[in-house]
Amino acid sequence: MTRRRLEFVMKHIQKSRSKAGDARSIVFFIVDDTQCKKERTTKRMEGLDNHFSHSDGKTIWSHCVVTAHVVSENNSFTWDFRPYFREPYCQKEGISFKSKNVLAMELINSYPVRDDEQVYVLVDSWYTSKKLIETCCQKGFHLIGGLRTNRKIYPAGVGIKISDFASTYLESTDLRPVTVDGHTYKIYTYEGNLSDTEYAKVLLSWENKFDSSKTPFCLLCTDSSLNHVTILSYYNVRWNIMPISA
């Protein structure tokens, strides 16, 4: 059933592309995880465990699922999913443990490579790892992902955490204003190596105004040809992926 559904998704996207007459289409492949919350009284259902929910800000009794979503040619489709089980549960049940990043890479590898598509994988900072970036690169995909501020960049060849660089060395004159979808941001762009990635474009952004005491929102993009507005606009497509409900 899943195979036939994914075939339908691909055929629908290709049909839309042929009508539009695009030679090379942009495809967004979005990966995220979500929790399907259950009442504490639910005990007999398999796979339930305590998982941290970012939206709730606490650990909840739930199923956890890593999901993928495809957006292209004004189409938005659920692609596939993988259940995530914590390591103690896997040991108890005698099954192989797979981290969320491994499950995300499985989903990325499940999307077929086509010469008439450029795929951008969109993820939050939980998934922006060296191995996932390499998985995208091997398939010819680009990654746009959130980036934690404890990651190191190398301005002038000297390694420094993004948070330390932003609070110590940046001034308002180093940033440029960018407006995307009605929101204004002050952006600083770094292009170069990271501690675990050989060259990428990193955006440090503050909404409305620069404040060195506040942590910037950071994005990593492996496609250095994209400008600020395009990177931010592409990343906003990530909100097409919706959490599942109980």
Side-chain angles (χ1 to χ4, degrees):
M1 185 182 295
T2 297
R3 179 181 57 81
R4 294 189 67 177
R5 181 178 58 80
L6 299 184
E7 288 175 354
F8 168 81
V9 169
M10 294 302 299
K11 288 179 180 178
H12 194 91
I13 291 174
Q14 291 158 21
K15 185 177 180 180
S16 300
R17 181 181 308 143
S18 62
K19 287 181 179 179
D22 296 332
R24 187 168 171 82
S25 179
I26 300 295
V27 174
F28 299 103
F29 191 85
I30 312 164
V31 178
D32 203 356
D33 60 89
T34 186
Q35 285 74 40
C36 184
K37 187 176 181 180
K38 299 295 180 183
E39 296 296 330
R40 284 284 177 180
T41 54
T42 306
K43 299 292 185 181
R44 297 182 180 275
M45 190 177 293
E46 292 183 6
L48 283 171
D49 208 332
N50 292 302
H51 297 284
F52 184 80
S53 168
H54 292 283
S55 58
D56 290 271
K58 62 181 181 180
T59 298
I60 62 173
W61 185 244
S62 61
H63 288 119
C64 184
V65 183
V66 179
T67 63
H69 200 88
V70 174
V71 177
S72 182
E73 304 294 348
N74 296 318
N75 297 301
S76 184
F77 293 104
T78 298
W79 180 253
D80 206 352
F81 70 93
R82 300 285 189 275
Y84 168 74
F85 304 115
R86 294 173 63 240
E87 194 164 6
Y89 178 86
C90 292
Q91 292 174 349
K92 178 182 176 182
E93 298 297 323
I95 58 179
S96 298
F97 170 72
K98 293 182 180 180
S99 69
K100 291 181 181 179
N101 260 263
V102 168
L103 297 174
M105 288 185 280
E106 286 185 0
L107 289 167
I108 292 168
N109 281 320
S110 73
Y111 190 83
V113 177
R114 293 181 57 91
D115 292 335
D116 57 353
E117 292 179 348
Q118 177 57 65
V119 177
Y120 288 91
V121 176
L122 309 179
V123 297
D124 66 17
S125 60
W126 183 268
Y127 294 96
T128 310
S129 67
K130 178 181 180 180
K131 288 185 177 180
L132 193 134
I133 293 172
E134 289 174 347
T135 297
C136 292
C137 182
Q138 288 167 4
K139 289 182 70 73
F141 299 168
H142 282 298
L143 178 85
I144 301 177
L147 194 66
R148 296 177 181 178
T149 57
N150 63 356
R151 297 281 283 272
K152 279 189 176 182
I153 55 177
Y154 291 83
V158 179
I160 185 172
K161 290 182 181 178
I162 293 174
S163 56
D164 293 338
F165 176 75
S167 62
T168 306
Y169 295 103
L170 285 186
E171 298 180 0
S172 58
T173 53
D174 297 318
L175 284 69
R176 57 174 296 184
V178 172
T179 301
V180 178
D181 295 334
H183 296 273
T184 300
Y185 305 92
K186 294 298 179 68
I187 303 289
Y188 177 83
T189 304
Y190 165 81
E191 291 190 54
N193 295 337
L194 282 78
S195 55
D196 55 1
T197 304
E198 282 186 5
Y199 199 85
K201 181 176 282 190
V202 177
L203 304 186
L204 282 62
S205 67
W206 290 261
E207 191 163 4
N208 296 323
K209 65 178 183 178
F210 169 68
D211 186 342
S212 61
S213 66
K214 293 184 177 180
T215 302
F217 173 69
C218 300
L219 281 177
L220 177 146
C221 178
T222 59
D223 186 354
S224 60
S225 69
L226 299 184
N227 60 37
H228 307 74
V229 174
T230 303
I231 293 173
L232 290 169
S233 297
Y234 280 7
Y235 190 71
N236 280 346
V237 177
R238 198 173 77 85
W239 301 113
N240 273 264
I241 196 167
M242 298 296 291
I244 60 175
S245 58

